[in-house]
């Protein structure tokens, strides 16, 4: 009865946060700037001496969108829940709800979840909230999964599908998942450890900001349909407009308001996830509700049917490419650099296709500056999971000038 409704999503989110025992004290927010006055921000320290980690990860892109189909493996119903591209964190609750809707059609009392990334762990917790007994079987806990190597913002349509192969119906499914997830995350705001929070994000430029309009490159005549991989940005599904009514939009800042060394800036509010506290919150709820975790590495999907649970939700992300031989999973490589956490400078900045975002678990740095013309194509088909330090060093050099002391206003 509850599944699928926004009311249920709100309940889900409340329950997801139930493990956190008390609400955080509301810290005194700085007053909003007066008209015509500058915004005052503590500058981020983006020098190399602050670098504490480099991570690399593969987004599991499927042209048709995540696999949420079902199949029987001997006497076991397997519901798939993998292939969320650059949107796995963002769509986790909504996607889990869709997968569980399929699992619940056979009225199981207990289920198995394979995989413990953000998709598996969220699916497990949601299943418990729907009254099921759950065992997670996974090679790694979430802290060692690819999910922990993401950047962690609400980006629900980032490399989630390709427009044509996914088809027009995918938009509705995506919107259902995105809205369900948004409601769930909303109820985690303000909890101790800030598993989910909003920060201000500034888009900076040296020239008047212009919204880039992408048009298909006529020189590229092939496409996913002919090559089995996307060849240009315009092949990707871009769906964010569908939830524009609930997601904060950006506003232009007046020159005297800009606390950075650039003449133009926009500001928006961005929801993001702090990995350590968010994972702790989910794990606490999972074990608090009696969930079992079994470390196990599956070699073939036939082994799913050896489990005692006869309903299995399969959430192995990019690994599904080999485990169940789904060659439609396309790797999209991404790298993040991490600086020492800087809670006193709690905001994000984008400049020349470099982004930095200050989170409780560190300041995450991403560099898309070398080939901005690629757009969503950056990293497509690249399964190299080793880090490239020079890439992050270059990003820090590009972004550093915007914090130059000369430009800071009192
Ligand atoms: C650089 C980068 C930045 C990103 N930023 C964002 C972002 O800001 N917002 C967002 O929403 N998404 C983001 N993503 C995408 C997001 O990280 C993925 O969509 C998400 O991690 C997929 O989660 P998953 O649980 O499906 O897979 P995984 O995290 O890969 O988890 C798979 C699980 O299955 C287990 N497993 C695998 N194989 C087996 C096996 N054979 N037997 C048993 N267990 C197995 C693993 O141990 C693991 O526990 C980003 C991705 C990258 C690369």
């Amino acid at each position: 009865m509850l599944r699928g409704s926004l009311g249920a999503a709100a309940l889900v989110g409340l329950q997801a946060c139930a493990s956190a025992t008390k609400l955080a004290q509301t810290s005194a927010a700085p007053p909003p700037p007066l008209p015509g006055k500058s915004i005052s921000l503590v500058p981020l320290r983006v020098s190399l001496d602050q670098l504490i980690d480099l991570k690399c990860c593969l987004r599991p892109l499927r042209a048709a969108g995540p696999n949420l189909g079902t199949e029987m493996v001997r006497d076991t119903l397997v519901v798939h829940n993998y292939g969320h591209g650059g949107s796995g964190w963002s769509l986790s609750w909504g996607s889990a709800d869709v997968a569980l809707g399929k699992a619940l059609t056979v009225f199981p009392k207990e289920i198995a979840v394979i995989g413990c990334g953000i998709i598996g762990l969220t699916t497990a917790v949601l299943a418990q909230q729907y009254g099921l007994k759950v065992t997670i079987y996974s090679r790694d806990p979430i802290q060692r999964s690819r999910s922990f190597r993401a950047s962690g913002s609400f980006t629900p349509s980032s490399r989630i599908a390709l427009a044509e192969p996914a088809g027009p119906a995918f938009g509705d499914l995506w919107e259902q998942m995105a809205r369900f997830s948004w409601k769930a995350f909303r109820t985690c705001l303000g909890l101790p450890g800030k598993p989910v929070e909003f920060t201000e994000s500034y888009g900076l430029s040296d020239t008047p900001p212009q919204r880039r309009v992408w048009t298909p490159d006529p020189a590229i005549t092939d496409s996913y349909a002919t090559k089995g991989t996307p060849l240009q940005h315009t092949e990707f599904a871009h769906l964010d407009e569908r939830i524009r009514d609930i997601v904060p939009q950006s506003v232009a800042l007046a020159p005297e308001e800009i606390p950075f060394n650039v003449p133009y800036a926009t500001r928006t509010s961005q929801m993001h996830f702090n990995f350590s506290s968010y994972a702790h919150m989910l794990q606490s709820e999972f074990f608090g509700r009696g969930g079992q975790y079994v470390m196990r590495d599956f070699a073939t999907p036939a082994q799913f049917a050896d489990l005692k649970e006869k309903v299995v939700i399969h959430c192995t992300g990019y690994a599904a490419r080999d485990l169940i031989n789904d060659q439609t999973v396309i790797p999209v490589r991404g790298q993040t650099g991490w600086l020492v956490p800087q809670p006193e400078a709690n905001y994000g900045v984008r400049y020349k296709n470099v982004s930095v975002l200050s989170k409780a678990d560190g300041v995450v740095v991403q560099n898309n500056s070398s080939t901005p013309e690629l757009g969503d194509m950056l990293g497509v088909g690249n399964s190299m999971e080793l880090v490239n330090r020079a890439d992050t060093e270059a990003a820090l050099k590009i972004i550093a000038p915007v914090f130059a002391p000369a430009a800071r206003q009192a």
Side-chain angles (χ1 to χ4, degrees):
M1 185 179 71
L2 290 176
R3 268 188 303 104
S5 75
L6 292 180
L11 174 65
V12 163
L14 276 174
Q15 291 174 327
C17 300
S19 60
T21 47
K22 58 178 183 170
L23 287 174
Q25 298 285 328
T26 319
S27 56
L34 296 170
K37 299 286 182 187
S38 67
I39 298 167
S40 179
L41 290 176
V42 175
L44 276 162
R45 299 189 306 279
V46 291
S47 48
L48 204 49
D49 59 273
Q50 300 295 302
L51 188 65
I52 54 171
D53 201 2
L54 292 166
K55 299 184 188 183
C56 185
C57 164
L58 305 178
R59 302 169 181 91
L61 166 69
R62 291 181 82 249
N67 185 0
L68 291 159
T70 60
E71 63 178 292
M72 293 302 294
V73 176
R74 300 207 303 268
D75 59 345
T76 300
L77 173 66
V78 176
V79 182
H80 296 291
N81 190 9
Y82 69 87
H84 297 79
S87 306
W89 281 84
S90 311
L91 294 176
S92 51
W93 290 103
S95 187
D97 182 62
V98 173
L100 283 165
K102 297 182 179 185
L104 289 172
T105 56
V106 297
F107 304 106
K109 286 198 169 45
E110 60 175 1
I111 64 163
V113 171
I114 315 284
C116 193
I118 191 57
I119 297 293
L121 186 53
T122 308
T123 302
V125 170
L126 188 61
Q128 290 176 317
Q129 292 173 4
Y130 290 158
L132 304 180
K133 190 172 168 223
V134 184
T135 301
I136 296 175
Y137 299 87
S138 183
R139 192 163 61 196
D140 313 285
I142 186 166
Q143 287 82 357
R144 284 205 299 274
S145 71
R146 288 194 169 96
S147 294
F148 243 58
R149 294 184 246 141
S151 49
S153 294
F154 186 75
T155 57
S157 81
S158 168
R159 279 104 155 206
I160 187 62
L162 304 183
E164 219 170 285
F170 180 69
D172 289 343
L173 174 66
W174 176 87
E175 185 174 339
Q176 177 190 331
M177 296 191 292
R179 287 183 186 274
F180 189 97
S181 295
W182 182 261
K183 285 274 186 194
F185 292 132
R186 277 272 297 112
T187 58
C188 303
L189 290 166
L191 289 172
K194 298 183 180 166
V196 179
E197 68 176 332
F198 275 97
T199 49
E200 302 205 315
S201 171
Y202 296 87
L204 310 181
S205 68
D206 300 317
T207 52
Q210 284 178 337
R211 195 170 170 179
R212 178 159 187 180
V213 179
W214 293 86
T215 50
D217 181 346
I220 301 177
T221 50
D222 277 311
S223 67
Y224 179 80
T226 54
K227 295 289 180 191
T229 189
L231 296 176
Q232 55 179 324
H233 175 91
T234 50
E235 287 190 64
F236 285 80
H238 297 110
L239 301 160
D240 288 332
E241 280 297 308
R242 280 178 165 255
I243 55 168
R244 193 183 162 86
D245 57 315
I246 50 168
V247 173
Q249 301 297 312
S250 68
V251 293
L253 294 186
E256 63 274 18
E257 288 181 303
I258 300 172
F260 303 101
N261 194 15
V262 292
Y264 301 97
T266 59
R267 183 184 59 204
T268 187
S269 296
Q270 172 79 45
M271 180 191 275
H272 70 249
F273 317 110
N274 291 311
F275 296 148
S276 309
S277 56
Y278 193 87
H280 180 70
M281 181 189 80
L282 286 185
Q283 285 173 324
S284 300
E285 176 159 359
F286 178 69
F287 290 117
R289 286 176 179 269
Q292 299 288 311
Y293 177 89
V294 177
M295 188 184 286
R296 177 150 179 197
D297 193 352
F298 293 86
T300 72
Q303 293 173 337
F304 296 170
D306 298 337
L307 300 174
K308 68 180 187 326
E309 297 86 358
K310 291 296 134 199
V311 175
V312 166
I313 308 198
H314 165 235
C315 312
T316 60
Y318 181 74
R321 186 180 158 94
D322 288 335
L323 178 59
I324 66 161
N325 194 26
D326 182 351
Q327 298 300 311
T328 69
V329 180
I330 298 168
V332 185
R333 182 186 183 277
Q335 175 170 314
T336 51
W338 293 81
L339 309 181
V340 173
Q342 298 174 39
E344 69 285 2
N346 190 18
Y347 58 89
V349 162
R350 282 169 289 111
Y351 178 64
K352 293 186 174 173
N353 294 295
V354 169
S355 69
V356 291
L357 172 64
S358 177
K359 308 201 305 169
D361 47 13
V363 178
V364 57
V365 182
Q366 279 185 282
N367 188 357
N368 295 340
S369 66
S370 56
T371 46
E373 70 285 356
L374 288 181
D376 283 347
M377 283 300 296
L378 184 68
V380 169
N382 185 349
S383 59
M384 207 274 287
E385 267 185 303
L386 298 176
V387 295
N388 171 5
R389 184 182 169 98
D391 187 64
T392 299
E393 289 182 4
L396 296 178
K397 276 195 187 128
I398 290 170
I399 201 98
V402 308
F403 303 104
R408 293 205 300 271
Q409 300 171 47

